[in-house]
Amino acid sequence: MALLRALRCGLGARAAGCPAGPLRPQPPQGRALRVGPRLASAASSKELLLKLRRKTGYSFVNCKKALETCGGDLQQAENWLHKQAQKEGWSKAAKLHGRKTKEGLIGLLQEGNTAVLVEVNCETDFVSKNLKFQQLVQQVALGTMLYCQNLKDQLCTYRKGFLNSSELSDLPTGPEREGSLKDQLALAIGKLGENMTLKRAAWVKAPAGFYVGSYVHGATQSPSLHNLVLGKYGALVVCETSGRTADLEAVGRRLGQHVVGMAPLSVGSLDDAPGGEAETKMLAQPYLLDPSITLGQFVRPQGLSVVDFVRFECGEGEDTAEAE
């Protein structure tokens, strides 16, 4: 009897114009159908994902995880990504610590009569050509430049200084950025998977009446790297000027080339005779671009005098340290 009643109810419903087929439960009146959150926000989620990817450079997988973790909040997702990357970077840095870093780059950054040279090392030449590694060198150069510019002193002559690895690591990344250069180092290690070191930096500040010549061997420059010049060798040459030099930039570059190529140990004086013990004195050395004269003979008519220099060679001292 129950079966007959059910069949009759079904036939009655069809007769009343109801669609054929099994009956489907209907939602209670007054309540709208709920659409799944993924369907409702698919377009906006994709847009947020693409925006986060473009802004941070992290993978789609990590960006998606960040947005899910932070409930779709773009700023929180960006902060979460940076923190996670830093944690992973420090973990990877600990695992890779001790691996030899003989490759890398010298970076030169100059603003007027303030110039810095930095050296950042990695394991392979392949990684040194990676933009992310070069951006790390840029951050180190900018951090060193900021440090130098913040030295509030009245200059009556030039000043020169050096920063070792630990001093570099503690420098802030910039006036408006949180964290230190060692944090940026950890991020780079996490992204590129090689051991890296912030080896050293040198800076020079000079007042009017001085000129800082500079040169980087095999230089490459990218507009995206804030006028940073990269290479394997670099030099800064401090000159006192008399105002009679026609082209300080060209002369400063040639002096830097000489320092890179001839690797002097001291400036020396114009009175030093060439050869013998004077072969490591800059002004007594044969001029790199014209060995028929000494560098002193090249400098004398230029209307300037060389007072100091800095020379960096990438990987310098690594073999000695390894032997010890």
PDB file of all heavy atoms in Angstrom, residues 65-89:
ATOM      1  N   LYS A  65      49.893  29.493  -1.735  1.00  0.00           N
ATOM      2  CA  LYS A  65      49.888  29.064  -0.325  1.00  0.00           C
ATOM      3  C   LYS A  65      49.836  30.272   0.601  1.00  0.00           C
ATOM      4  O   LYS A  65      49.130  30.258   1.623  1.00  0.00           O
ATOM      5  CB  LYS A  65      51.137  28.233  -0.042  1.00  0.00           C
ATOM      6  CG  LYS A  65      51.175  27.644   1.363  1.00  0.00           C
ATOM      7  CD  LYS A  65      52.397  26.757   1.542  1.00  0.00           C
ATOM      8  CE  LYS A  65      52.418  26.178   2.957  1.00  0.00           C
ATOM      9  NZ  LYS A  65      53.632  25.331   3.171  1.00  0.00           N
ATOM     10  N   ALA A  66      50.555  31.328   0.246  1.00  0.00           N
ATOM     11  CA  ALA A  66      50.565  32.536   1.068  1.00  0.00           C
ATOM     12  C   ALA A  66      49.183  33.174   1.130  1.00  0.00           C
ATOM     13  O   ALA A  66      48.719  33.576   2.198  1.00  0.00           O
ATOM     14  CB  ALA A  66      51.587  33.525   0.511  1.00  0.00           C
ATOM     15  N   LEU A  67      48.506  33.269  -0.016  1.00  0.00           N
ATOM     16  CA  LEU A  67      47.168  33.866  -0.045  1.00  0.00           C
ATOM     17  C   LEU A  67      46.161  33.029   0.729  1.00  0.00           C
ATOM     18  O   LEU A  67      45.301  33.563   1.437  1.00  0.00           O
ATOM     19  CB  LEU A  67      46.709  34.039  -1.501  1.00  0.00           C
ATOM     20  CG  LEU A  67      47.398  35.168  -2.281  1.00  0.00           C
ATOM     21  CD1 LEU A  67      47.076  35.060  -3.762  1.00  0.00           C
ATOM     22  CD2 LEU A  67      46.967  36.535  -1.745  1.00  0.00           C
ATOM     23  N   GLU A  68      46.267  31.695   0.612  1.00  0.00           N
ATOM     24  CA  GLU A  68      45.366  30.821   1.362  1.00  0.00           C
ATOM     25  C   GLU A  68      45.613  30.947   2.854  1.00  0.00           C
ATOM     26  O   GLU A  68      44.675  30.984   3.654  1.00  0.00           O
ATOM     27  CB  GLU A  68      45.567  29.372   0.912  1.00  0.00           C
ATOM     28  CG  GLU A  68      45.055  29.091  -0.505  1.00  0.00           C
ATOM     29  CD  GLU A  68      45.405  27.694  -0.986  1.00  0.00           C
ATOM     30  OE1 GLU A  68      46.197  27.009  -0.294  1.00  0.00           O
ATOM     31  OE2 GLU A  68      44.911  27.287  -2.059  1.00  0.00           O
ATOM     32  N   THR A  69      46.870  31.017   3.243  1.00  0.00           N
ATOM     33  CA  THR A  69      47.223  31.124   4.662  1.00  0.00           C
ATOM     34  C   THR A  69      46.750  32.448   5.251  1.00  0.00           C
ATOM     35  O   THR A  69      46.325  32.500   6.412  1.00  0.00           O
ATOM     36  CB  THR A  69      48.754  31.002   4.835  1.00  0.00           C
ATOM     37  OG1 THR A  69      49.190  29.751   4.293  1.00  0.00           O
ATOM     38  CG2 THR A  69      49.148  31.082   6.307  1.00  0.00           C
ATOM     39  N   CYS A  70      46.818  33.513   4.444  1.00  0.00           N
ATOM     40  CA  CYS A  70      46.501  34.858   4.936  1.00  0.00           C
ATOM     41  C   CYS A  70      45.098  35.320   4.556  1.00  0.00           C
ATOM     42  O   CYS A  70      44.802  36.523   4.590  1.00  0.00           O
ATOM     43  CB  CYS A  70      47.540  35.853   4.432  1.00  0.00           C
ATOM     44  SG  CYS A  70      49.214  35.464   4.959  1.00  0.00           S
ATOM     45  N   GLY A  71      44.254  34.388   4.124  1.00  0.00           N
ATOM     46  CA  GLY A  71      42.865  34.724   3.831  1.00  0.00           C
ATOM     47  C   GLY A  71      42.694  35.696   2.687  1.00  0.00           C
ATOM     48  O   GLY A  71      41.737  36.482   2.677  1.00  0.00           O
ATOM     49  N   GLY A  72      43.608  35.688   1.722  1.00  0.00           N
ATOM     50  CA  GLY A  72      43.487  36.560   0.565  1.00  0.00           C
ATOM     51  C   GLY A  72      43.996  37.972   0.766  1.00  0.00           C
ATOM     52  O   GLY A  72      43.890  38.806  -0.123  1.00  0.00           O
ATOM     53  N   ASP A  73      44.566  38.267   1.950  1.00  0.00           N
ATOM     54  CA  ASP A  73      45.113  39.605   2.210  1.00  0.00           C
ATOM     55  C   ASP A  73      46.474  39.725   1.530  1.00  0.00           C
ATOM     56  O   ASP A  73      47.424  39.030   1.894  1.00  0.00           O
ATOM     57  CB  ASP A  73      45.256  39.835   3.719  1.00  0.00           C
ATOM     58  CG  ASP A  73      45.653  41.269   4.048  1.00  0.00           C
ATOM     59  OD1 ASP A  73      46.759  41.674   3.639  1.00  0.00           O
ATOM     60  OD2 ASP A  73      44.874  41.962   4.706  1.00  0.00           O
ATOM     61  N   LEU A  74      46.578  40.627   0.554  1.00  0.00           N
ATOM     62  CA  LEU A  74      47.774  40.718  -0.275  1.00  0.00           C
ATOM     63  C   LEU A  74      49.004  41.127   0.532  1.00  0.00           C
ATOM     64  O   LEU A  74      50.072  40.529   0.395  1.00  0.00           O
ATOM     65  CB  LEU A  74      47.542  41.725  -1.414  1.00  0.00           C
ATOM     66  CG  LEU A  74      48.605  41.760  -2.510  1.00  0.00           C
ATOM     67  CD1 LEU A  74      48.653  40.440  -3.258  1.00  0.00           C
ATOM     68  CD2 LEU A  74      48.332  42.900  -3.469  1.00  0.00           C
ATOM     69  N   GLN A  75      48.877  42.146   1.381  1.00  0.00           N
ATOM     70  CA  GLN A  75      50.022  42.629   2.150  1.00  0.00           C
ATOM     71  C   GLN A  75      50.504  41.575   3.143  1.00  0.00           C
ATOM     72  O   GLN A  75      51.711  41.344   3.290  1.00  0.00           O
ATOM     73  CB  GLN A  75      49.651  43.924   2.888  1.00  0.00           C
ATOM     74  CG  GLN A  75      50.842  44.586   3.601  1.00  0.00           C
ATOM     75  CD  GLN A  75      51.977  44.944   2.669  1.00  0.00           C
ATOM     76  OE1 GLN A  75      51.767  45.613   1.671  1.00  0.00           O
ATOM     77  NE2 GLN A  75      53.176  44.488   2.966  1.00  0.00           N
ATOM     78  N   GLN A  76      49.552  40.931   3.831  1.00  0.00           N
ATOM     79  CA  GLN A  76      49.934  39.877   4.775  1.00  0.00           C
ATOM     80  C   GLN A  76      50.588  38.704   4.047  1.00  0.00           C
ATOM     81  O   GLN A  76      51.538  38.106   4.549  1.00  0.00           O
ATOM     82  CB  GLN A  76      48.707  39.388   5.549  1.00  0.00           C
ATOM     83  CG  GLN A  76      48.198  40.385   6.579  1.00  0.00           C
ATOM     84  CD  GLN A  76      47.055  39.815   7.402  1.00  0.00           C
ATOM     85  OE1 GLN A  76      46.866  38.596   7.457  1.00  0.00           O
ATOM     86  NE2 GLN A  76      46.298  40.685   8.047  1.00  0.00           N
ATOM     87  N   ALA A  77      50.080  38.399   2.864  1.00  0.00           N
ATOM     88  CA  ALA A  77      50.658  37.303   2.080  1.00  0.00           C
ATOM     89  C   ALA A  77      52.089  37.622   1.672  1.00  0.00           C
ATOM     90  O   ALA A  77      52.976  36.757   1.701  1.00  0.00           O
ATOM     91  CB  ALA A  77      49.806  37.041   0.836  1.00  0.00           C
ATOM     92  N   GLU A  78      52.344  38.874   1.288  1.00  0.00           N
ATOM     93  CA  GLU A  78      53.708  39.285   0.913  1.00  0.00           C
ATOM     94  C   GLU A  78      54.653  39.170   2.108  1.00  0.00           C
ATOM     95  O   GLU A  78      55.767  38.641   1.995  1.00  0.00           O
ATOM     96  CB  GLU A  78      53.689  40.719   0.397  1.00  0.00           C
ATOM     97  CG  GLU A  78      55.052  41.183  -0.089  1.00  0.00           C
ATOM     98  CD  GLU A  78      55.021  42.623  -0.600  1.00  0.00           C
ATOM     99  OE1 GLU A  78      53.910  43.176  -0.752  1.00  0.00           O
ATOM    100  OE2 GLU A  78      56.119  43.175  -0.847  1.00  0.00           O
ATOM    101  N   ASN A  79      54.201  39.646   3.282  1.00  0.00           N
ATOM    102  CA  ASN A  79      55.025  39.548   4.490  1.00  0.00           C
ATOM    103  C   ASN A  79      55.283  38.098   4.862  1.00  0.00           C
ATOM    104  O   ASN A  79      56.390  37.725   5.258  1.00  0.00           O
ATOM    105  CB  ASN A  79      54.337  40.265   5.660  1.00  0.00           C
ATOM    106  CG  ASN A  79      54.255  41.761   5.433  1.00  0.00           C
ATOM    107  OD1 ASN A  79      55.031  42.325   4.668  1.00  0.00           O
ATOM    108  ND2 ASN A  79      53.314  42.408   6.091  1.00  0.00           N
ATOM    109  N   TRP A  80      54.254  37.264   4.714  1.00  0.00           N
ATOM    110  CA  TRP A  80      54.390  35.834   5.030  1.00  0.00           C
ATOM    111  C   TRP A  80      55.422  35.177   4.116  1.00  0.00           C
ATOM    112  O   TRP A  80      56.253  34.390   4.564  1.00  0.00           O
ATOM    113  CB  TRP A  80      53.034  35.148   4.887  1.00  0.00           C
ATOM    114  CG  TRP A  80      53.022  33.704   5.284  1.00  0.00           C
ATOM    115  CD1 TRP A  80      52.786  33.195   6.526  1.00  0.00           C
ATOM    116  CD2 TRP A  80      53.246  32.571   4.419  1.00  0.00           C
ATOM    117  NE1 TRP A  80      52.852  31.820   6.497  1.00  0.00           N
ATOM    118  CE2 TRP A  80      53.133  31.406   5.229  1.00  0.00           C
ATOM    119  CE3 TRP A  80      53.519  32.428   3.073  1.00  0.00           C
ATOM    120  CZ2 TRP A  80      53.297  30.132   4.703  1.00  0.00           C
ATOM    121  CZ3 TRP A  80      53.692  31.154   2.546  1.00  0.00           C
ATOM    122  CH2 TRP A  80      53.573  30.018   3.358  1.00  0.00           C
ATOM    123  N   LEU A  81      55.384  35.512   2.833  1.00  0.00           N
ATOM    124  CA  LEU A  81      56.339  34.960   1.874  1.00  0.00           C
ATOM    125  C   LEU A  81      57.769  35.321   2.247  1.00  0.00           C
ATOM    126  O   LEU A  81      58.664  34.472   2.231  1.00  0.00           O
ATOM    127  CB  LEU A  81      56.034  35.482   0.472  1.00  0.00           C
ATOM    128  CG  LEU A  81      54.952  34.746  -0.320  1.00  0.00           C
ATOM    129  CD1 LEU A  81      54.628  35.524  -1.587  1.00  0.00           C
ATOM    130  CD2 LEU A  81      55.391  33.334  -0.677  1.00  0.00           C
ATOM    131  N   HIS A  82      57.984  36.593   2.583  1.00  0.00           N
ATOM    132  CA  HIS A  82      59.329  37.026   2.928  1.00  0.00           C
ATOM    133  C   HIS A  82      59.843  36.314   4.188  1.00  0.00           C
ATOM    134  O   HIS A  82      61.009  35.916   4.248  1.00  0.00           O
ATOM    135  CB  HIS A  82      59.361  38.546   3.142  1.00  0.00           C
ATOM    136  CG  HIS A  82      59.193  39.333   1.883  1.00  0.00           C
ATOM    137  ND1 HIS A  82      59.812  38.984   0.695  1.00  0.00           N
ATOM    138  CD2 HIS A  82      58.492  40.460   1.596  1.00  0.00           C
ATOM    139  CE1 HIS A  82      59.498  39.843  -0.243  1.00  0.00           C
ATOM    140  NE2 HIS A  82      58.680  40.748   0.273  1.00  0.00           N
ATOM    141  N   LYS A  83      58.975  36.170   5.172  1.00  0.00           N
ATOM    142  CA  LYS A  83      59.389  35.501   6.406  1.00  0.00           C
ATOM    143  C   LYS A  83      59.712  34.031   6.166  1.00  0.00           C
ATOM    144  O   LYS A  83      60.702  33.503   6.675  1.00  0.00           O
ATOM    145  CB  LYS A  83      58.287  35.634   7.465  1.00  0.00           C
ATOM    146  CG  LYS A  83      58.160  37.041   8.036  1.00  0.00           C
ATOM    147  CD  LYS A  83      57.039  37.119   9.061  1.00  0.00           C
ATOM    148  CE  LYS A  83      56.902  38.537   9.607  1.00  0.00           C
ATOM    149  NZ  LYS A  83      55.781  38.666  10.583  1.00  0.00           N
ATOM    150  N   GLN A  84      58.858  33.362   5.374  1.00  0.00           N
ATOM    151  CA  GLN A  84      59.106  31.959   5.076  1.00  0.00           C
ATOM    152  C   GLN A  84      60.390  31.784   4.269  1.00  0.00           C
ATOM    153  O   GLN A  84      61.186  30.880   4.527  1.00  0.00           O
ATOM    154  CB  GLN A  84      57.922  31.373   4.285  1.00  0.00           C
ATOM    155  CG  GLN A  84      56.655  31.206   5.099  1.00  0.00           C
ATOM    156  CD  GLN A  84      56.859  30.301   6.294  1.00  0.00           C
ATOM    157  OE1 GLN A  84      56.767  30.720   7.441  1.00  0.00           O
ATOM    158  NE2 GLN A  84      57.151  29.041   6.029  1.00  0.00           N
ATOM    159  N   ALA A  85      60.597  32.673   3.294  1.00  0.00           N
ATOM    160  CA  ALA A  85      61.805  32.590   2.473  1.00  0.00           C
ATOM    161  C   ALA A  85      63.048  32.819   3.319  1.00  0.00           C
ATOM    162  O   ALA A  85      64.075  32.167   3.127  1.00  0.00           O
ATOM    163  CB  ALA A  85      61.741  33.617   1.350  1.00  0.00           C
ATOM    164  N   GLN A  86      62.928  33.732   4.283  1.00  0.00           N
ATOM    165  CA  GLN A  86      64.068  34.008   5.150  1.00  0.00           C
ATOM    166  C   GLN A  86      64.378  32.808   6.037  1.00  0.00           C
ATOM    167  O   GLN A  86      65.540  32.437   6.209  1.00  0.00           O
ATOM    168  CB  GLN A  86      63.772  35.236   6.001  1.00  0.00           C
ATOM    169  CG  GLN A  86      64.994  35.794   6.710  1.00  0.00           C
ATOM    170  CD  GLN A  86      64.726  37.173   7.266  1.00  0.00           C
ATOM    171  OE1 GLN A  86      64.320  38.079   6.540  1.00  0.00           O
ATOM    172  NE2 GLN A  86      64.949  37.349   8.541  1.00  0.00           N
ATOM    173  N   LYS A  87      63.330  32.182   6.574  1.00  0.00           N
ATOM    174  CA  LYS A  87      63.539  30.983   7.394  1.00  0.00           C
ATOM    175  C   LYS A  87      64.203  29.872   6.587  1.00  0.00           C
ATOM    176  O   LYS A  87      65.155  29.228   7.035  1.00  0.00           O
ATOM    177  CB  LYS A  87      62.191  30.481   7.946  1.00  0.00           C
ATOM    178  CG  LYS A  87      61.606  31.330   9.057  1.00  0.00           C
ATOM    179  CD  LYS A  87      60.270  30.757   9.494  1.00  0.00           C
ATOM    180  CE  LYS A  87      59.613  31.641  10.547  1.00  0.00           C
ATOM    181  NZ  LYS A  87      58.268  31.125  10.927  1.00  0.00           N
ATOM    182  N   GLU A  88      63.675  29.654   5.376  1.00  0.00           N
ATOM    183  CA  GLU A  88      64.244  28.617   4.519  1.00  0.00           C
ATOM    184  C   GLU A  88      65.668  28.958   4.122  1.00  0.00           C
ATOM    185  O   GLU A  88      66.538  28.091   4.033  1.00  0.00           O
ATOM    186  CB  GLU A  88      63.369  28.435   3.272  1.00  0.00           C
ATOM    187  CG  GLU A  88      62.010  27.836   3.577  1.00  0.00           C
ATOM    188  CD  GLU A  88      61.103  27.827   2.355  1.00  0.00           C
ATOM    189  OE1 GLU A  88      61.608  28.091   1.249  1.00  0.00           O
ATOM    190  OE2 GLU A  88      59.903  27.560   2.520  1.00  0.00           O
ATOM    191  N   GLY A  89      65.914  30.263   3.882  1.00  0.00           N
ATOM    192  CA  GLY A  89      67.258  30.701   3.521  1.00  0.00           C
ATOM    193  C   GLY A  89      68.254  30.471   4.624  1.00  0.00           C
ATOM    194  O   GLY A  89      69.360  29.971   4.395  1.00  0.00           O
TER     195      GLY A  89
END
